[in-house]
Amino acid sequence: MALMSSLCIFVLVTHFATPIVCHERPHQAALFVFGDSIFDSGNNKYINTTADLRGSNYFPYGESFFKHPTGRASNGRLIPDFIAEYANLPFIPPYFEIGKKHLVHGVNFASGSSGILAETSRAIILKSQLKLFQNVGKLLQKKVGETESKQILSNAVYIFSTANNDFLFPLLANLTSPYSDTEYLHMVMGNLTSVLKGVYKQGGRKFVMFNLGPLGCLPSMRALNLQKGVKNGSCMEKATNKAKMFNSALPRMFKQLEKQLPGFKYTIFNFFKVFADSIHNPTKYGFKISETACCGTGPFRGILSCGGMRRVKEYKLCENVKDYLFFDSFHPTELAYQQYTKLLWNGTPDVVAPYNLESFFKLSTSSLSSSIIISGKLQSKKVELPFYLYAKSKCY
């Protein structure tokens, strides 16, 4: 009997002396999206503005994939949707839908027709998108707690497509700017820098920036060029040169931020290169038509009337959207976006540098681990705890 009692005590002591291991829960990096109609997944449906800006929330937008309009300015998915697929994330919800959807995987703040400067449009400009992001930070804290929310924000990838409208709008509206090109660029870059620093202050560390495409080669700009008397319907050099000016300034700005802000990482997607290549060499990308849009009216279908819900009601719709690079007067088709995303995800340094997006996401998920909270201090991701501390610890 005494031997049996001793054996029981030995087994109990051995059991409680065995360390309990807390294994990490891998954190999938979230995706936060900023910008204009290239990225807007439906925010403009909810803002009180003109019909022209309220989003592409009517037929035939969305017809190819969703089978109904979603506010996306294409026939289907956009680049953030394809990124989410590559990164094993659900579709990132527009900000105004996070009340009924998740937000721990990221939020889309992009707004069609928006820009960096307040004068560009009445859509949600970039600084206002920053304010929405700051609000999401507060909501995350309430949802998952301060430690977890900080980890989500620092581990996330932040992607931007902006400034298109800052350079297009003055040309389309035939406005005479009181600023020189250099002064105007300085204003744009200054405001962009301010927003990037604002995201960094909230915890953002990994930034992806699209440079501008060849703006003068959009169907809308070809049509405008024709209207101005350029008979061959060529690209508008003035618009494309403004894009090149912005693109030249981007790397310098990001290198400065990298020096100023500890832990700041960035990559630039050469949207100009791949977009121009698909315009001038459409068959390489599987397209037959790269100058005229699938949906719209006028020369090159360059008048933005797709769907008949804007000021111009008349529009034509192509028979086979897969033949077309452009869906409407400004925006590529879903197939084009899909191909661009592939190049963004695992492209070579001439297309995306210094990191491709796949390495950015891998860096995010591997470099920051889940933590265990013991007595208010962060411990390493895998900790062996004596049994008496296990009840006080929090394993994720």
Side-chain angles (χ1 to χ4, degrees), residues 54 149 156 197 205 317 341 354 375 383:
R54 205 167 289 138
S149 66
K197 286 183 175 180
R205 292 296 180 269
L317 182 65
T341 309
S375 303
V383 182

Side-chain angles (χ1 to χ4, degrees), residues 315-336:
Y315 75 96
K316 293 181 180 179
L317 182 65
C318 67
E319 290 186 6
N320 186 3
V321 67
K322 291 185 178 179
D323 288 342
Y324 286 76
L325 171 64
F326 287 96
F327 183 65
D328 69 13
S329 311
F330 289 91
H331 307 102
T333 58
E334 179 188 64
L335 183 57

